[in-house]
Amino acid sequence: KVLVGNLVGEGHRNYVLMYNMLTGIRVAVSRCQAKIRRPLVEDDYLASHKYSFDMLGNELTPSAKYDFKFKDYAPWVFRELRDDHFHLDPADYLLSLTAKYILSELGSPGKSGSFFYYSRDYRFIIKTIPHHEHAFLRSILKDYHEHVRTNPHTLLSRFYGLHRVKMPRGRKIHFVIMNNLFPPHKDIHETYDLKGSAWGRETSAEKLAANPKTVLKDKNWVNRGRTLELGPEKRALFTEQLRRDMEFLRRINVMDYSLLVGIHNVERGNRDNLRENTLAFFQPEAPVKRKPSSVKHHAEANTMRRAVARADPKRLLDASQLPSDGSEDRRHFLFYQDDGGLRATDEQNRPMDIIYYLGVIDICTPYNTKKCIEHAWKSMTENPVTISCVEPNTYGQRFLNFLMSVERNGDMSLRPQGLEPPQ
Ligand code: ATP
Ligand code: CA
Ligand code: CA
């Protein structure tokens, strides 16, 4: 269950939250998308739009099942990111997220307490984030946009939207929508979350025994002799992109990010079918009853209608149906082109039987005083080079060294450096 999550249906403790998130997205995104495109202006990066939903509905918002407030941040910027840089079909995006009002909850896999939800077709991830990460993302949005514009093959998380919901008497919940690095149609046989640091970076044998799909870490990577097997061509491209992305993260003063690596073994194939089995639990839901849309809601209705007309009817009618591969957008990206991922190659650049699904995640933690204190404290007890809390320069350098340092041995395989050798 660690990697696939639980279905959030009616009666689930987070059902209302999920319903409100999706309703807000549906209304806000289609509202922006329906307007005529215009060039971005400086104010767009800091803009936010407020919506107030209730059971009756009003001029601006259709009626909803619950009362809540919704905020859409920098809608024009995210629209441009989605349309121009991430090659998402606007109708598809809305349809994936909101056609069925079903998400799958992964719970809170990290230490941060953030919650993760998958869209029902597994393409998108909604991550709740603390206020400071939300504020940070807004503050760097312009730089991020620029980086994505000039680095179409960036390995950084693709942010599709930034929003907030507030329920009556509830606290404000911020969340981002991003790409799921792992494809719906392929089993991932091993997952690693790599930071290039040894400190506390090992998933225990007990945890693994309890759940073989648990995410592995740096020490496991080294102990199992894993390397990114990329021939000279792909290695050069990948290293260069990673270097540029690290340089960007250093400039915006970020650390604590990781390279998430999913390994699909082609020979082993999809035998486990873990995800498929779980997705089979997805049940079609009765359509949400709404008041007939007023003139103001026409644009939204039209966007949805186009979405519905475009979509594969099987996908619409049968929610348990897996999308054929759900990764049309991926063909635009160098590192997501081989079946949605990056196929390993040997020293002659010939394809091998491994596909990597990888990207740099968790990029909204700036190096700040809290981290400094943590660093100072840990330095007293641990070797400061191996602890995970270091300033962004050191962090980035160590990260690159760990992943890309090449030490050629007899069989020409590549060994990571930067960690003590396994015992
Ligand atoms: P912490 O701050 O404690 O590291 P977090 O709550 O910020 O945790 P992340 O590090 O962003 O969470 O992600 C936790 C896990 O969720 C990852 O190790 C990975 O298994 C999964 N995950 C996160 N982002 C993605 C993504 N884009 N695609 C697929 N899986 C993801
Ligand atoms: Ca993390
Ligand atoms: Ca985090």
Side-chain angles (χ1 to χ4, degrees), residues 222-235:
V222 173
N223 290 344
R224 294 185 176 199
R226 293 285 177 265
T227 56
L228 285 176
E229 307 211 42
L230 300 173
E233 257 169 34
K234 281 188 177 172
R235 168 161 293 261

Side-chain angles (χ1 to χ4, degrees), residues 3 23 25 90 121 193 211 276 414:
L3 283 174
T23 304
I25 293 169
D121 60 5
D193 183 298
N211 186 338
E276 231 150 333
L414 309 159

Side-chain angles (χ1 to χ4, degrees), residues 79-180:
R79 176 182 176 182
E80 190 160 315
L81 282 168
R82 289 191 306 267
D83 291 1
D84 295 5
H85 306 304
F86 298 146
H87 304 281
L88 280 185
D89 180 307
D92 248 23
Y93 178 66
L94 277 179
L95 194 68
S96 286
L97 282 165
T98 70
K100 292 284 178 194
Y101 279 77
I102 293 181
L103 292 177
S104 169
E105 185 181 75
L106 186 61
S108 181
K111 289 182 193 137
S112 71
S114 286
F115 271 74
F116 288 77
Y117 297 89
Y118 294 121
S119 63
R120 76 189 177 96
D121 60 5
Y122 210 65
R123 280 177 73 189
F124 302 108
I125 292 183
I126 293 180
K127 178 185 181 183
T128 66
I129 53 174
H131 177 264
H132 61 89
E133 283 189 25
H134 150 93
F136 179 72
L137 182 53
R138 282 185 86 189
S139 77
I140 59 141
L141 189 57
K142 190 157 190 243
D143 296 321
Y144 174 81
H145 182 206
E146 179 59 17
H147 181 73
V148 167
R149 200 180 61 74
T150 51
N151 290 273
H153 302 294
T154 181
L155 293 154
L156 302 183
S157 286
R158 306 188 191 288
F159 295 121
Y160 300 137
L162 177 64
H163 312 281
R164 185 186 92 183
V165 286
K166 161 106 176 59
M167 299 188 270
R169 293 177 305 281
R171 60 192 177 85
K172 293 165 181 159
I173 297 173
H174 299 91
F175 60 98
V176 283
I177 301 160
M178 55 187 183
N179 58 323
N180 182 3

Side-chain angles (χ1 to χ4, degrees), residues 345-359:
T345 47
D346 66 12
E347 285 304 311
Q348 281 73 49
N349 301 313
R350 289 176 307 213
M352 294 167 64
D353 274 350
I354 286 178
I355 303 176
Y356 300 111
Y357 294 91
L358 40 73

Side-chain angles (χ1 to χ4, degrees), residues 48-63:
S48 69
H49 285 256
K50 252 187 177 156
Y51 295 86
S52 189
F53 288 89
D54 56 37
M55 265 116 70
L56 292 173
N58 57 48
E59 297 209 309
L60 280 169
T61 54
S63 65

Side-chain angles (χ1 to χ4, degrees), residues 129-389:
I129 53 174
H131 177 264
H132 61 89
E133 283 189 25
H134 150 93
F136 179 72
L137 182 53
R138 282 185 86 189
S139 77
I140 59 141
L141 189 57
K142 190 157 190 243
D143 296 321
Y144 174 81
H145 182 206
E146 179 59 17
H147 181 73
V148 167
R149 200 180 61 74
T150 51
N151 290 273
H153 302 294
T154 181
L155 293 154
L156 302 183
S157 286
R158 306 188 191 288
F159 295 121
Y160 300 137
L162 177 64
H163 312 281
R164 185 186 92 183
V165 286
K166 161 106 176 59
M167 299 188 270
R169 293 177 305 281
R171 60 192 177 85
K172 293 165 181 159
I173 297 173
H174 299 91
F175 60 98
V176 283
I177 301 160
M178 55 187 183
N179 58 323
N180 182 3
L181 283 167
F182 301 152
H185 62 300
K186 288 261 183 287
D187 277 352
I188 299 296
H189 298 117
E190 270 178 19
T191 309
Y192 292 91
D193 183 298
L194 303 173
K195 293 189 178 181
S197 141
W199 198 80
R201 303 291 302 159
E202 179 166 29
T203 299
S204 67
E206 298 86 78
K207 264 200 181 161
L208 261 175
N211 186 338
K213 295 279 166 181
T214 310
V215 177
L216 301 165
K217 296 183 180 159
D218 303 64
K219 269 198 175 174
N220 307 100
W221 175 265
V222 173
N223 290 344
R224 294 185 176 199
R226 293 285 177 265
T227 56
L228 285 176
E229 307 211 42
L230 300 173
E233 257 169 34
K234 281 188 177 172
R235 168 161 293 261
L237 291 166
F238 182 78
T239 311
E240 175 57 16
Q241 188 57 59
L242 201 57
R243 195 192 58 72
R244 289 192 204 180
D245 290 340
M246 297 305 95
E247 170 56 27
F248 168 73
L249 294 177
R250 192 192 58 74
R251 197 151 41 77
I252 61 168
N253 204 35
V254 161
M255 40 92 50
D256 217 31
Y257 48 83
S258 35
L259 184 76
L260 186 65
V261 183
I263 299 180
H264 172 79
N265 190 316
V266 178
E267 256 172 34
R268 214 167 130 190
N270 290 329
R271 230 173 294 149
D272 307 353
N273 271 330
L274 179 68
R275 204 159 295 127
E276 231 150 333
N277 290 339
T278 308
L279 282 174
F281 289 118
F282 283 63
Q283 293 295 326
E285 216 196 30
V288 183
K289 285 203 194 73
R290 280 191 287 137
K291 284 200 317 189
S293 52
S294 70
V295 180
K296 287 251 167 143
H297 303 139
H298 253 105
E300 181 208 333
N302 278 337
T303 312
M304 279 307 272
R305 219 171 288 131
R306 279 200 300 275
V308 172
R310 253 214 199 79
D312 173 359
K314 262 203 278 173
R315 264 173 76 188
L316 269 176
L317 295 175
D318 178 7
S320 72
Q321 186 74 30
L322 278 174
S324 52
D325 74 358
S327 51
E328 238 317 88
D329 51 310
R330 293 188 189 224
R331 74 192 155 82
H332 295 277
F333 307 116
L334 202 52
F335 305 111
Y336 304 106
Q337 265 175 3
D338 312 327
D339 252 333
L342 178 65
R343 187 146 190 166
T345 47
D346 66 12
E347 285 304 311
Q348 281 73 49
N349 301 313
R350 289 176 307 213
M352 294 167 64
D353 274 350
I354 286 178
I355 303 176
Y356 300 111
Y357 294 91
L358 40 73
V360 178
I361 61 160
D362 208 7
I363 59 169
C364 291
T365 313
Y367 186 66
N368 59 23
T369 20
K370 190 175 146 244
K371 290 289 174 188
C372 291
I373 292 163
E374 192 186 333
H375 184 194
W377 184 80
K378 279 182 186 167
S379 309
M380 292 191 277
T381 50
E382 301 285 333
N383 174 0
V385 182
T386 61
I387 63 179
S388 68
C389 240

